[in-house]
Amino acid sequence: MLKKAELEWFDSYSLSQVKILNLTETQKKLLRWLVEEVRAGKLGEEKIWFLRSRDGTTLDGYKGDVPNIETTTLDALQSSGCLSRDRSQLNQYKYSLTSRAYEAVDSDFGAPNLSAITHLIPLTEIKHLDAELWERCHFSLSAGGNDPKAWDKAVRTALVILEERLRKLGGTESIKPDATGDTIVNTIFGVKSSVLGDKLNDKQLKGYRDLYAGMMAVFRNHYAHRVIDPSPEVGGAIIVFIDLLLKMLDDIDGDVGARD
């Protein structure tokens, strides 16, 4: 059964496709078996007669072991559009496989691969976040993940951590102790004034400068001087972005240390 968030993520799926996804494992197993037997020539796809008795449901004229078949299973496969019931007589019911049955089996019932979700939403795996970032931000968020005020504090804290990490990388406390925001970024990555000029080429310096200066101008300056109260979705996205920027700084720091 798909979770609500997963259904929203894949909202392009039609209702009939969702029904296929919601089949139970027992129902999927029977449909796989029917498709395999038809493809093997042991059943006719348009003339599958099911016989119902006190002992259960069997297949008319089929030679071989028949899996347990419940009426509710056949009803579910018919409702999902994988089986079509043509007619019935007494306790005999003639079904046929539809093209949807083959599509369902061949696509593993249209099950979307959800393995990317944890990477697209890394806050669900907090162990991957920068340790200091999570340690300092979770205090605000523990008050309530749906409170925009909590996210305002968390984002502001995250931006301070980013600024401090920049200071540490560039050693700006000893060069320009009063520097903040853009000044720190320009001191570290400015092509002419960079403290990393002998470690990174001009193209790299410009790229990093533009990236971090943009972060300071768009987010740091706004959150430092006014109350923003972002939605949880926006606040979470900003923190994840800051986490990426911190990891990039750590990579630069590691490269510089390796060359010294």
Side-chain angles (χ1 to χ4, degrees), residues 2-241:
L2 286 179
K3 298 179 181 178
K4 180 180 178 181
E6 295 168 348
L7 281 174
E8 292 174 351
W9 181 268
F10 295 97
D11 58 4
S12 61
Y13 275 69
S14 66
L15 179 60
S16 59
Q17 288 172 313
V18 172
K19 287 182 178 179
I20 290 176
L21 291 173
N22 285 337
L23 290 174
T24 67
E25 288 305 313
T26 297
Q27 293 159 1
K28 293 177 182 178
K29 184 177 180 180
L30 177 60
L31 187 60
R32 287 192 187 97
W33 182 82
L34 289 171
V35 169
E36 289 174 358
E37 295 305 286
V38 167
R39 285 175 167 169
K42 297 180 181 180
L43 286 174
E45 67 177 4
E46 296 184 353
K47 294 181 180 180
I48 306 175
W49 283 93
F50 292 87
L51 307 179
R52 296 179 184 176
S53 66
R54 292 180 180 179
D55 297 327
T57 301
T58 59
L59 292 176
D60 183 36
Y62 178 80
K63 297 180 181 180
D65 294 330
V66 178
N68 181 49
I69 303 172
E70 298 290 344
T71 301
T72 53
T73 299
L74 295 175
D75 291 342
L77 293 179
Q78 182 181 356
S79 176
S80 68
C82 294
L83 282 182
S84 174
R85 193 167 79 179
D86 299 326
R87 69 174 189 269
S88 61
Q89 55 187 44
L90 294 178
N91 292 323
Q92 298 184 15
Y93 302 85
K94 189 178 80 167
Y95 287 85
S96 59
L97 287 178
T98 67
S99 59
R100 184 172 294 276
Y102 298 100
E103 293 171 1
V105 171
D106 292 340
S107 66
D108 194 20
F109 296 89
N113 188 331
L114 304 179
S115 61
I117 288 183
T118 55
H119 301 290
L120 291 170
I121 314 175
L123 284 177
T124 60
E125 293 288 344
I126 60 175
K127 65 183 180 180
H128 298 311
L129 288 176
D130 180 270
E132 182 183 9
L133 180 68
W134 176 244
E135 179 184 3
R136 292 187 177 275
C137 288
H138 87 273
F139 290 109
S140 298
L141 298 177
S142 63
N146 294 321
D147 186 355
K149 295 179 181 178
W151 285 99
D152 184 85
K153 294 178 182 179
V155 170
R156 189 172 293 108
T157 298
L159 288 164
V160 170
I161 292 172
L162 176 61
E163 194 170 71
E164 286 297 312
R165 199 71 62 84
L166 283 164
R167 284 193 178 95
K168 180 180 177 182
L169 174 64
T172 60
E173 284 292 339
S174 60
I175 302 173
K176 294 181 179 180
D178 297 328
T180 59
D182 286 355
T183 305
I184 296 175
V185 173
N186 289 327
T187 300
I188 299 173
F189 298 114
V191 174
K192 294 183 178 180
S193 61
S194 174
V195 299
L196 300 177
D198 59 339
K199 306 297 182 180
L200 301 173
N201 61 46
D202 288 355
K203 186 175 181 180
Q204 291 172 321
L205 289 171
K206 184 179 184 304
Y208 283 116
R209 196 219 73 82
D210 291 349
L211 176 61
Y212 287 91
M215 184 63 172
M216 293 298 170
V218 175
F219 295 104
R220 184 266 185 193
N221 293 346
H222 281 71
Y223 279 86
H225 300 297
R226 54 179 61 88
V227 175
I228 304 297
D229 290 345
S231 67
E233 292 78 13
V234 171
I238 295 173
I239 288 178
V240 170
F241 184 30

